[in-house]
Amino acid sequence: MDDEILIASAENTKRMILDCGSTKTVAGSKWMKTYLESLGEDEMKQIEETSEQRFFRFGNSIRYPSKKEVTIPIKLGRLETKLHVSVVDASIDLLLGKPDFKNLGLVVDFVEETAYSTITHEVFILETTLKGHLALSL
């Protein structure tokens, strides 16, 4: 695998990488497995899986197919909702795609490195991963 897409790490299991260039929220199968293992019994009851056939490209231009979409519960401050996440066999973390920025009402301030939710009117401090990506804690 190309080094450009090897951005997954244990530090990001409970974070979403903000990727406003992505057309859909996507995660690697390893990230998804680790995330699902961290959930409690009540949260696991909310998990839904559907089959899917989409393709994603990352920094190395290789096309990665998704074969399923997993609906996962998330909580950001007072906002409790679900994300529909495509799962690919690539070493990537959860990349929050542009449509979910809109669904979560997120407005990103790159100067202050914060995200504001227009739904709950909360400001979230963004983190920077070891690779320099902006991330939001789940």
Side-chain angles (χ1 to χ4, degrees):
M1 238 178 243
D2 192 299
D3 288 341
E4 292 180 47
I5 65 154
L6 295 176
I7 60 174
S9 65
E11 69 161 330
N12 295 326
T13 303
K14 286 292 194 173
R15 295 197 271 193
M16 314 185 266
I17 306 296
L18 303 183
D19 188 357
C20 59
S22 179
T23 58
K24 185 168 186 318
T25 298
V26 60
S29 54
K30 183 178 179 181
W31 184 96
M32 183 60 71
K33 181 180 184 291
T34 303
Y35 180 76
L36 293 176
E37 289 171 351
S38 75
L39 298 179
E41 190 176 318
D42 289 339
E43 293 168 313
M44 281 302 293
K45 291 178 185 175
Q46 299 177 51
I47 301 300
E48 299 171 23
E49 285 190 23
T50 57
S51 60
E52 170 182 82
Q53 286 194 317
R54 293 179 65 109
F55 288 91
F56 294 86
R57 288 181 201 258
F58 304 107
N60 59 5
S61 297
I62 295 173
R63 289 172 43 140
Y64 291 89
S66 68
K67 295 185 176 131
K68 68 179 176 179
E69 178 186 86
V70 179
T71 302
I72 61 172
I74 65 161
K75 184 172 173 54
L76 291 174
R78 295 187 304 269
L79 180 62
E80 293 185 39
T81 189
K82 294 181 180 184
L83 290 179
H84 303 282
V85 183
S86 296
V87 180
V88 296
D89 285 327
S91 294
I92 60 166
D93 297 315
L94 178 65
L95 305 178
L96 185 69
K98 182 181 173 185
D100 283 320
F101 276 79
K102 291 181 179 182
N103 293 338
L104 299 173
L106 289 183
V107 177
V108 178
D109 181 334
F110 289 95
V111 173
E112 298 295 325
E113 294 192 352
T114 59
Y116 173 75
S117 172
T118 60
I119 296 171
T120 62
H121 306 288
E122 294 174 274
V123 174
F124 303 101
I125 304 296
L126 298 177
E127 301 172 31
T128 302
T129 68
L130 292 175
K131 297 285 186 177
H133 300 98
L134 289 179
L136 185 57
S137 291
L138 291 172

